[in-house]
CSV table of all heavy atoms in Angstrom, one decimal:
chain,number,residue,atom,x,y,z
T,1,GLN,N,-13.7,17.2,165.3
T,1,GLN,CA,-14.2,17.0,166.7
T,1,GLN,C,-15.5,17.8,166.9
T,1,GLN,O,-15.6,18.9,166.2
T,1,GLN,CB,-13.2,17.3,167.7
T,1,GLN,CG,-11.9,16.4,167.6
T,1,GLN,CD,-11.0,16.7,168.7
T,1,GLN,OE1,-11.3,17.1,169.8
T,1,GLN,NE2,-9.7,16.4,168.5
T,2,GLU,N,-16.3,17.4,167.8
T,2,GLU,CA,-17.6,18.1,168.1
T,2,GLU,C,-17.3,19.6,168.4
T,2,GLU,O,-18.0,20.5,167.9
T,2,GLU,CB,-18.3,17.4,169.2
T,2,GLU,CG,-19.7,17.8,169.4
T,2,GLU,CD,-20.7,17.1,168.5
T,2,GLU,OE1,-20.5,15.9,168.3
T,2,GLU,OE2,-21.6,17.8,167.9
T,3,LYS,N,-16.3,19.8,169.1
T,3,LYS,CA,-16.0,21.2,169.6
T,3,LYS,C,-15.5,22.1,168.4
T,3,LYS,O,-15.5,23.3,168.5
T,3,LYS,CB,-14.9,21.2,170.7
T,3,LYS,CG,-13.5,20.6,170.2
T,3,LYS,CD,-12.5,20.7,171.3
T,3,LYS,CE,-11.2,20.1,170.9
T,3,LYS,NZ,-10.5,20.9,169.8
T,4,ASP,N,-15.1,21.5,167.3
T,4,ASP,CA,-14.6,22.3,166.2
T,4,ASP,C,-15.8,22.7,165.2
T,4,ASP,O,-15.6,23.6,164.4
T,4,ASP,CB,-13.6,21.4,165.4
T,4,ASP,CG,-12.4,21.1,166.2
T,4,ASP,OD1,-11.9,22.0,167.0
T,4,ASP,OD2,-11.8,20.0,165.9
T,5,LEU,N,-16.9,22.1,165.4
T,5,LEU,CA,-18.1,22.4,164.5
T,5,LEU,C,-18.7,23.7,165.0
T,5,LEU,O,-18.7,24.0,166.2
T,5,LEU,CB,-19.1,21.3,164.5
T,5,LEU,CG,-18.6,19.9,164.1
T,5,LEU,CD1,-19.7,18.8,164.2
T,5,LEU,CD2,-18.0,20.0,162.7
T,6,VAL,N,-19.3,24.4,164.1
T,6,VAL,CA,-20.0,25.6,164.4
T,6,VAL,C,-21.5,25.4,164.0
T,6,VAL,O,-21.8,25.3,162.8
T,6,VAL,CB,-19.4,26.8,163.6
T,6,VAL,CG1,-20.2,28.1,163.9
T,6,VAL,CG2,-18.0,27.1,164.0
T,7,ASP,N,-22.3,25.4,165.0
T,7,ASP,CA,-23.8,25.0,164.7
T,7,ASP,C,-23.9,23.8,163.9
T,7,ASP,O,-24.8,23.7,163.0
T,7,ASP,CB,-24.4,26.2,164.0
T,7,ASP,CG,-24.4,27.6,164.7
T,7,ASP,OD1,-24.6,27.5,166.0
T,7,ASP,OD2,-24.3,28.6,164.1
T,8,GLY,N,-23.1,22.8,164.2
T,8,GLY,CA,-23.1,21.5,163.6
T,8,GLY,C,-22.5,21.4,162.2
T,8,GLY,O,-22.6,20.4,161.6
T,9,LEU,N,-21.9,22.5,161.8
T,9,LEU,CA,-21.3,22.6,160.4
T,9,LEU,C,-19.8,22.7,160.5
T,9,LEU,O,-19.2,23.2,161.4
T,9,LEU,CB,-21.9,23.8,159.7
T,9,LEU,CG,-23.4,24.0,159.6
T,9,LEU,CD1,-23.8,25.3,158.9
T,9,LEU,CD2,-24.0,22.7,158.8
T,10,CYS,N,-19.2,22.3,159.4
T,10,CYS,CA,-17.7,22.5,159.2
T,10,CYS,C,-17.5,24.0,159.2
T,10,CYS,O,-18.1,24.7,158.4
T,10,CYS,CB,-17.2,21.9,157.9
T,10,CYS,SG,-15.5,22.4,157.5
T,11,PRO,N,-16.6,24.6,160.0
T,11,PRO,CA,-16.4,26.0,160.1
T,11,PRO,C,-15.8,26.6,158.8
T,11,PRO,O,-15.9,27.8,158.5
T,11,PRO,CB,-15.5,26.2,161.3
T,11,PRO,CG,-14.8,24.9,161.4
T,11,PRO,CD,-15.7,23.8,161.0
T,12,ILE,N,-15.2,25.7,158.0
T,12,ILE,CA,-14.5,26.1,156.7
T,12,ILE,C,-15.5,26.2,155.6
T,12,ILE,O,-15.7,27.2,154.9
T,12,ILE,CB,-13.3,25.3,156.4
T,12,ILE,CG1,-12.3,25.4,157.6
T,12,ILE,CG2,-12.6,25.7,155.1
T,12,ILE,CD1,-11.1,24.4,157.4
T,13,HIS,N,-16.2,25.0,155.4
T,13,HIS,CA,-17.0,24.9,154.2
T,13,HIS,C,-18.5,25.2,154.5
T,13,HIS,O,-19.3,25.1,153.5
T,13,HIS,CB,-16.8,23.5,153.6
T,13,HIS,CG,-15.4,23.3,153.1
T,13,HIS,ND1,-14.5,22.6,153.9
T,13,HIS,CD2,-14.8,23.6,151.9
T,13,HIS,CE1,-13.3,22.5,153.2
T,13,HIS,NE2,-13.5,23.1,152.0
T,14,ARG,N,-18.9,25.3,155.8
T,14,ARG,CA,-20.2,25.5,156.2
T,14,ARG,C,-21.2,24.4,155.6
T,14,ARG,O,-22.3,24.7,155.2
T,14,ARG,CB,-20.7,26.9,155.7
T,14,ARG,CG,-19.8,28.0,156.1
T,14,ARG,CD,-19.8,28.1,157.6
T,14,ARG,NE,-21.1,28.4,158.2
T,14,ARG,CZ,-21.3,28.4,159.5
T,14,ARG,NH1,-20.4,28.0,160.4
T,14,ARG,NH2,-22.5,28.7,160.0
T,15,THR,N,-20.7,23.2,155.7
T,15,THR,CA,-21.5,22.0,155.3
T,15,THR,C,-21.6,21.1,156.4
T,15,THR,O,-20.8,21.1,157.4
T,15,THR,CB,-20.9,21.3,154.1
T,15,THR,OG1,-19.5,20.9,154.4
T,15,THR,CG2,-20.9,22.2,152.8
T,16,THR,N,-22.7,20.3,156.4
T,16,THR,CA,-22.9,19.3,157.5
T,16,THR,C,-22.0,18.1,157.2
T,16,THR,O,-22.1,17.4,156.2
T,16,THR,CB,-24.4,18.8,157.5
T,16,THR,OG1,-25.2,20.0,157.7
T,16,THR,CG2,-24.6,17.8,158.6
T,17,PRO,N,-21.1,17.8,158.2
T,17,PRO,CA,-20.2,16.6,158.0
T,17,PRO,C,-21.0,15.3,158.1
T,17,PRO,O,-22.1,15.3,158.7
T,17,PRO,CB,-19.2,16.8,159.1
T,17,PRO,CG,-19.8,17.6,160.1
T,17,PRO,CD,-20.8,18.5,159.4
T,18,ASP,N,-20.4,14.2,157.6
T,18,ASP,CA,-21.0,12.9,157.7
T,18,ASP,C,-20.5,12.2,158.9
T,18,ASP,O,-19.3,12.3,159.2
T,18,ASP,CB,-20.7,12.1,156.4
T,18,ASP,CG,-21.2,12.7,155.1
T,18,ASP,OD1,-22.3,13.3,155.2
T,18,ASP,OD2,-20.5,12.7,154.1
T,19,TRP,N,-21.3,11.4,159.5
T,19,TRP,CA,-20.8,10.5,160.6
T,19,TRP,C,-20.3,9.2,160.0
T,19,TRP,O,-21.0,8.5,159.3
T,19,TRP,CB,-22.0,10.2,161.6
T,19,TRP,CG,-21.5,9.4,162.8
T,19,TRP,CD1,-21.5,8.1,163.0
T,19,TRP,CD2,-20.8,10.0,164.0
T,19,TRP,NE1,-20.9,7.8,164.1
T,19,TRP,CE2,-20.5,8.9,164.8
T,19,TRP,CE3,-20.5,11.2,164.3
T,19,TRP,CZ2,-19.9,9.0,166.0
T,19,TRP,CZ3,-19.8,11.4,165.6
T,19,TRP,CH2,-19.6,10.3,166.4
T,20,ILE,N,-19.0,9.0,160.2
T,20,ILE,CA,-18.4,7.8,159.5
T,20,ILE,C,-17.7,6.9,160.6
T,20,ILE,O,-17.1,7.4,161.5
T,20,ILE,CB,-17.4,8.3,158.5
T,20,ILE,CG1,-18.1,9.0,157.3
T,20,ILE,CG2,-16.5,7.2,158.0
T,20,ILE,CD1,-17.2,9.5,156.2
T,21,ARG,N,-17.8,5.7,160.3
T,21,ARG,CA,-17.0,4.7,161.1
T,21,ARG,C,-16.1,3.9,160.1
T,21,ARG,O,-16.6,3.3,159.2
T,21,ARG,CB,-17.9,3.8,161.9
T,21,ARG,CG,-17.1,2.7,162.7
T,21,ARG,CD,-18.0,1.8,163.6
T,21,ARG,NE,-17.2,0.8,164.2
T,21,ARG,CZ,-16.5,0.9,165.3
T,21,ARG,NH1,-16.5,2.1,165.9
T,21,ARG,NH2,-15.9,-0.1,165.8
T,22,GLU,N,-14.8,3.9,160.4
T,22,GLU,CA,-13.9,3.3,159.5
T,22,GLU,C,-12.9,2.4,160.2
T,22,GLU,O,-12.5,2.7,161.4
T,22,GLU,CB,-13.1,4.3,158.6
T,22,GLU,CG,-13.9,5.1,157.6
T,22,GLU,CD,-13.0,6.0,156.8
T,22,GLU,OE1,-11.8,6.2,157.2
T,22,GLU,OE2,-13.5,6.4,155.7
T,23,LYS,N,-12.4,1.3,159.6
T,23,LYS,CA,-11.3,0.6,160.1
T,23,LYS,C,-10.1,1.0,159.3
T,23,LYS,O,-10.0,0.8,158.1
T,23,LYS,CB,-11.5,-0.9,159.9
T,23,LYS,CG,-12.6,-1.5,160.8
T,23,LYS,CD,-12.8,-3.0,160.7
T,23,LYS,CE,-13.8,-3.5,161.7
T,23,LYS,NZ,-13.9,-5.0,161.6
T,24,ASN,N,-9.2,1.6,160.0
T,24,ASN,CA,-7.9,2.2,159.3
T,24,ASN,C,-6.7,1.7,160.0
T,24,ASN,O,-6.8,1.1,161.1
T,24,ASN,CB,-8.0,3.7,159.3
T,24,ASN,CG,-9.1,4.2,158.5
T,24,ASN,OD1,-9.5,3.6,157.5
T,24,ASN,ND2,-9.6,5.4,158.8
T,25,TYR,N,-5.5,2.1,159.4
T,25,TYR,CA,-4.3,1.9,160.1
T,25,TYR,C,-4.0,3.3,160.8
T,25,TYR,O,-4.1,4.3,160.2
T,25,TYR,CB,-3.2,1.5,159.1
T,25,TYR,CG,-3.3,0.0,158.7
T,25,TYR,CD1,-4.0,-0.3,157.5
T,25,TYR,CD2,-2.8,-0.9,159.5
T,25,TYR,CE1,-4.1,-1.6,157.2
T,25,TYR,CE2,-2.9,-2.3,159.1
T,25,TYR,CZ,-3.6,-2.6,158.0
T,25,TYR,OH,-3.7,-4.0,157.6
């Protein structure tokens, strides 16, 4: 979630996540 990111980065891996849209179950 947006609120979980730190400066737009994953707080664990410090990488920029990808914006993805998927059809799932």
